[in-house]
Amino acid sequence: MNQLHCRDLKAGDILLKVSDGSILSKAIQLGQRAVGDVNAGVVHAGVMFDSTYIIEAQGAGISANDLRVQNAHYGYHVYRCRNGNMAAGAGTCAKMMFDIHQRGRNLGYTVGGAIGSLFGGPGKAASPSQMDALLDRILQGRQHRFFCSQFVVFVYQFV
């Protein structure tokens, strides 16, 4: 894997975390292999807010972690949106979701959703009205749980 530096990253970049060998990463890999996932080494996903902070759905809900500190020992595959405005919007949307969760602790993590995604097959995109209704519920402080890749898809679909 090529070494990237924070200065190489931009808001909206999608980071796919490579297994770090931890028990949790190994469990995720095992589950993904069991269902035939060819990318079982990818165990987590998040969206960059800027060049140093990744916004991600994990155990404590939507969180922000500094790649130079909390996530310094992880490896990532990085994907960049070709539309710079959309990427910037995704970074802002991810940060907005983090801020909402910090205020109300209403955007938790769903282990069940993550496990279910292994068996659910390809998902179906939500309609614009469904996305608006979900955002309205979130802005009203109602509970919603995400798993990591679902959060990334939500951010980009909303933008």
Side-chain angles (χ1 to χ4, degrees):
M1 184 178 303
N2 292 334
Q3 176 68 39
L4 288 175
H5 302 278
C6 287
R7 67 180 174 266
D8 300 319
L9 300 173
K10 294 182 179 182
D13 283 352
I14 298 171
L15 272 62
L16 303 180
K17 184 172 106 176
V18 177
S19 175
D20 60 0
S22 69
I23 292 171
L24 180 58
S25 285
K26 288 179 181 180
I28 293 168
Q29 281 184 291
L30 180 64
Q32 291 180 146
R33 282 191 183 115
V35 297
D37 191 333
V38 296
N39 295 310
V42 173
V43 298
H44 188 64
V47 177
M48 291 301 293
F49 164 62
D50 57 14
S51 65
T52 57
Y53 280 89
I54 183 172
I55 310 292
E56 48 198 336
Q58 54 187 15
I62 305 301
S63 60
N65 291 299
D66 189 328
L67 291 176
R68 300 166 300 177
V69 182
Q70 294 104 328
N71 292 24
H73 60 284
Y74 297 133
Y76 295 92
H77 296 287
V78 179
Y79 294 88
R80 179 164 293 150
C81 179
R82 292 179 189 228
N83 181 318
N85 290 330
M86 181 177 283
T92 300
C93 180
K95 176 65 164 67
M96 177 187 75
M97 300 299 282
F98 167 72
D99 291 342
I100 290 168
H101 181 65
Q102 292 308 297
R103 271 197 318 269
R105 296 290 178 198
N106 58 319
L107 302 177
Y109 182 76
T110 172
V111 173
I115 293 169
S117 72
L118 293 173
F119 303 102
K124 182 180 175 192
S127 70
S129 61
Q130 289 171 319
M131 292 298 293
D132 287 344
L134 174 56
L135 183 60
D136 285 345
R137 288 191 305 272
I138 289 170
L139 292 173
Q140 292 166 2
R142 296 173 73 191
Q143 295 286 322
H144 189 80
R145 298 191 177 281
F146 291 100
F147 55 91
C148 60
S149 57
Q150 180 190 38
F151 174 69
V152 171
V153 170
F154 169 84
V155 164
Y156 265 91
Q157 189 176 4
F158 182 74
V159 171

